Amino acid sequence: MNQMCMKGNIMNEVLKKMKADIIEHISNYFDMCPERYCLKRSIEKEHLKRLLEFISRGKLIRGILVISSYDALGGNERKKILSIASAIELLHAGFLMHDDVMDGDILRRGEPSVHVSYRDLFADEGLLNPEKNGESFAICLGNIAYFIAFDLIAGSGFDTATAIRLIRIFNREAVITGLGQMNDIFTGALKDFPDERSILDTYRMKTARYTFSLPLIMGSVCAGLDDELIEKIVEPAEAIGLVFQMRDDELNILEDPQGTGKSAGSDITEGKKTLIISMLLKNIEGDDKRKMEKIFSKKELTLNELEYIRKALADSGTVDEHRKMISQISASAKETIESLDINEEYKNILRYILKISVERKF
């Protein structure tokens, strides 16, 4: 086994350990919930069990970044930072559950979405309005996840000034993400595609900041990093987030659900104005464009239609154009990372997440 493979295996083991620690920390918190939140009925406990199971199926990238950022800057209070990492994952879980309701996605992480599983629960029990009530339950559980996240930060054990700083940053980024989601919904309702800058701005607000900037900032704040340097970290973190989202757009169309855990082509049927589709429509014309626009207006795609889109993306040079932009953003991020006045361990984290964002297959 060569040295690179050995390093990769060691890194994978470290990441697995961090993920396991976060899940255990959330589980321990949930064990205290019956007393803390006066839970009397078994179904109330089942909701938390469902939430934990949903979180456990994820990669926990955001929580791992919190810990990695903190550790790289010399932080050593493991229980405290696990509360912050857990809070980020609960925020993410809430966003995903609400997102799936809004988009009507039936799959998440290779399993039925939360609102679908609740719908089936209502249907199996012979209860009324399973579709509507399943969505309502998922919205409620997402809200619960948000509120538990704030409780974890407030009770993390960091000093009061740090806890207030964390909550304000956490709240700011959650608001930005919500506004980004509203932008995404609005552009999805438009007949025409917005310009490239508008699409990228939505990506920054909806995905890039809370996926990469927020966890890196939270870990840095916990380690005592000053505000000036933290703001400099935001730039490459946002760039990494853009790359991550652009690859996600590619995978949604070009890969099968077995690899992504999502419905193939769901971005198209949901009317999402993604950058890669915007590029495609600029690169084709005439009958091809009219046929493509007709396909994009549909709520379901046949396998033949999906293959037609994939072929058009390749034949028109759109995939190459999209990946060229990913490379350009990636190169700019690398330059910014190297210019940061921060230790090599922290730079290695940024280099690593940039690399896996560019190369991700799921």
Side-chain angles (χ1 to χ4, degrees):
M1 182 182 293
N2 61 37
Q3 190 174 7
M4 186 175 293
C5 287
M6 290 179 65
K7 286 182 179 178
N9 288 336
I10 292 170
M11 177 65 78
N12 286 336
E13 289 305 311
V14 171
L15 297 179
K16 284 180 184 177
K17 178 65 166 59
M18 287 184 186
K19 176 177 177 176
D21 287 346
I22 295 168
I23 292 170
E24 182 181 12
H25 193 80
I26 296 172
S27 178
N28 290 339
Y29 179 91
F30 284 177
D31 285 343
M32 298 185 297
C33 283
E35 181 177 354
R36 182 171 180 78
Y37 298 111
C38 304
L39 306 184
K40 304 297 184 183
R41 302 166 63 207
S42 60
I43 190 171
E44 294 163 350
K45 299 172 187 177
E46 282 298 313
H47 296 318
L48 295 181
K49 182 179 177 181
R50 188 181 295 262
L51 177 55
L52 179 64
E53 192 275 332
F54 179 75
I55 293 171
S56 300
R57 293 206 313 263
K59 296 181 281 290
L60 276 64
I61 292 171
R62 295 155 188 82
I64 288 170
L65 285 178
V66 172
I67 299 171
S68 300
S69 173
Y70 179 73
D71 288 351
L73 294 169
N76 57 12
E77 297 184 276
R78 181 60 54 178
K79 186 175 181 181
K80 292 180 181 180
I81 200 63
L82 280 171
S83 285
I84 308 305
S86 299
I88 293 279
E89 287 302 330
L90 281 154
L91 176 72
H92 180 50
F95 282 156
L96 292 184
M97 285 184 270
H98 289 173
D99 198 47
D100 286 342
V101 171
M102 286 183 268
D103 291 342
D105 277 340
I106 61 171
L107 283 178
R108 173 64 68 177
R109 296 168 174 168
E111 299 287 340
S113 300
V114 171
H115 68 281
V116 172
S117 65
Y118 272 130
R119 177 201 68 190
D120 294 344
L121 174 66
F122 274 87
D124 291 345
E125 294 293 326
L127 302 175
L128 299 175
N129 302 320
E131 194 81 38
K132 177 64 175 175
N133 288 327
E135 291 179 354
S136 297
F137 260 40
I139 292 170
C140 290
L141 193 60
N143 290 339
I144 289 167
Y146 298 149
F147 299 136
I148 289 176
F150 278 105
D151 192 56
L152 280 163
I153 297 171
S156 63
F158 285 105
D159 63 87
T160 302
T162 299
I164 291 172
R165 194 176 168 203
L166 289 168
I167 287 172
R168 294 197 70 182
I169 292 168
F170 190 81
N171 184 67
R172 179 190 71 188
E173 297 303 322
V175 169
I176 290 171
T177 304
L179 291 170
Q181 174 72 351
M182 292 173 78
N183 285 348
D184 196 35
I185 294 168
F186 180 76
T187 56
L190 296 173
K191 291 183 178 180
D192 298 321
F193 273 70
D195 59 66
E196 185 177 288
R197 179 180 293 275
S198 296
I199 294 173
L200 290 175
D201 281 345
T202 296
Y203 287 179
R204 284 189 183 91
M205 294 176 69
K206 183 184 174 183
T207 301
R209 290 188 66 101
Y210 102 90
T211 300
F212 295 103
S213 301
L214 176 58
L216 289 169
I217 289 171
M218 297 285 274
S220 300
V221 167
C222 293
L225 204 66
D226 65 82
D227 288 339
E228 185 178 353
L229 186 50
I230 284 175
E231 287 306 310
K232 290 179 180 177
I233 291 168
V234 170
E235 184 180 342
E238 277 192 0
I240 292 167
L242 290 179
V243 168
F244 183 91
Q245 183 59 56
M246 290 172 72
R247 278 293 295 146
D248 193 72
D249 294 344
E250 288 185 356
L251 294 170
N252 185 270
I253 302 172
L254 302 177
E255 297 294 325
D256 292 322
Q258 291 88 344
T260 64
K262 303 175 185 177
S263 304
S266 60
D267 285 349
I268 295 169
T269 56
E270 291 160 15
K272 291 187 180 295
K273 301 297 194 296
T274 62
L275 188 60
I276 191 169
I277 295 303
S278 175
M279 288 176 171
L280 174 61
L281 290 174
K282 285 192 299 184
N283 291 338
I284 58 177
E285 55 187 20
D287 290 342
D288 287 335
K289 187 167 185 174
R290 284 188 287 273
K291 182 176 179 180
M292 195 67 69
E293 288 173 340
K294 186 176 180 180
I295 291 173
F296 290 163
S297 68
K298 300 179 70 172
K299 295 300 182 185
E300 290 186 15
L301 293 179
T302 66
L303 183 58
N304 285 340
E305 288 168 338
L306 187 58
E307 288 303 322
Y308 177 78
I309 296 168
R310 289 170 174 171
K311 188 174 186 302
L313 285 166
D315 292 349
S316 65
T318 301
V319 172
D320 291 338
E321 180 185 357
H322 196 255
R323 288 179 180 170
K324 182 179 179 181
M325 182 178 284
I326 288 175
S327 297
Q328 290 170 340
I329 295 172
S330 176
S332 177
K334 285 178 184 176
E335 288 182 11
T336 307
I337 291 167
E338 299 311 319
S339 70
L340 289 173
D341 183 20
I342 202 164
N343 64 45
E344 276 301 302
E345 187 175 351
Y346 202 103
K347 286 184 180 180
N348 281 336
I349 293 169
L350 294 172
R351 292 175 187 131
Y352 180 73
I353 59 175
L354 176 59
K355 182 176 184 293
I356 62 173
S357 294
V358 172
E359 298 176 357
R360 63 186 294 231
K361 302 295 183 184
F362 55 87

